[in-house]
């Protein structure tokens, strides 16, 4: 099997994942637990991410996922696509443009926008990244980069 082409214009799409209520809850509770950092598991108070009535009071139709979930899914897909180079020298910036609701199917995607000589025997791959739902609506957008060893970029 040949290695994937990272030429500008190449697109990659991960499989769809369901945004479950349990997954949404984990992010809220994990944040509160991490902030306290005392070894005790915390249950987060009501937010737009874990409480339907609170979300509705804020003008939403239901709870929505924390944006970091889709960012993490994009980051994980970058790792799957490019390997550990993402950890060593990667960049990622995202913006949330539509809410993600419970049971919505979400897919991280990336497109190689550029491949440039980074000047240190590596190629900098500039990426356009996004998450889309199963209807093709874009939910999260962003830019990213990864540096891979390779021939000098053209």
């Amino acid at each position: 099997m040949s290695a994937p082409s990272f030429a500008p214009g190449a697109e990659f799409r991960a499989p769809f994942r369901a945004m479950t209520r349990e997954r949404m809850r984990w992010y809220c509770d994990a944040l509160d637990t991490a902030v306290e950092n005392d070894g005790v598991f915390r249950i987060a108070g009501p937010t737009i991410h874990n409480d339907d009535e609170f979300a509705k009071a804020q003008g939403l139709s239901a709870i929505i996922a924390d944006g970091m979930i889709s960012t993490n899914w994009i980051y994980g897909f970058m790792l799957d696509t490019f390997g550990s180079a993402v950890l060593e020298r990667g960049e990622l910036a995202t913006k949330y443009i539509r809410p993600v609701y419970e049971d919505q199917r979400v897919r991280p995607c990336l497109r190689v926008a550029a491949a440039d000589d980074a000047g240190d025997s590596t190629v900098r791959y500039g990426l356009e990244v996004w998450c889309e739902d199963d209807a093709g609506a874009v939910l999260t957008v962003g830019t990213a980069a990864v540096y891979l060893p390779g021939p000098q970029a053209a």
Side-chain angles (χ1 to χ4, degrees):
M1 183 169 170
S2 64
S5 168
F6 298 134
E11 279 192 17
F12 302 87
R13 284 182 161 74
F16 282 105
R17 299 173 76 172
M19 185 61 68
T20 64
R21 180 170 288 262
E22 179 181 42
R23 186 181 312 276
M24 294 160 80
R25 180 83 214 195
W26 289 339
Y27 268 74
C28 298
D29 297 342
L31 177 60
D32 283 9
T33 301
V35 167
E36 291 300 322
N37 194 28
D38 62 1
V40 176
F41 179 75
R42 306 279 189 229
I43 301 293
T47 71
I48 60 173
H49 305 302
N50 65 10
D51 185 278
D52 289 304
E53 294 309 313
F54 187 90
K56 288 176 183 175
Q58 304 306 310
L60 298 165
S61 60
I63 61 172
I64 61 172
D66 187 303
M68 284 305 298
I69 298 173
S70 58
T71 296
N72 288 339
W73 286 359
I74 290 169
Y75 190 73
F77 186 47
M78 289 173 59
L79 281 167
D80 291 344
T81 304
F82 294 101
S84 64
V86 173
L87 298 171
E88 296 160 12
R89 192 173 172 195
E91 304 165 12
L92 175 61
T94 57
K95 179 179 178 181
Y96 315 112
I97 59 173
R98 284 197 174 103
V100 176
Y101 291 96
E102 180 181 4
D103 296 326
Q104 195 167 6
R105 289 170 29 97
V106 177
R107 170 171 51 195
C109 306
L110 64 88
R111 178 182 305 114
V112 179
D116 300 304
D117 181 354
D120 58 359
S121 300
T122 63
V123 176
R124 179 188 185 276
Y125 292 93
L127 309 171
E128 298 168 2
V129 297
W130 69 96
C131 281
E132 62 188 21
D133 68 14
D134 52 7
V138 176
L139 310 165
T140 303
V141 295
T143 58
V146 64
Y147 297 77
L148 298 176
Q152 299 299 316

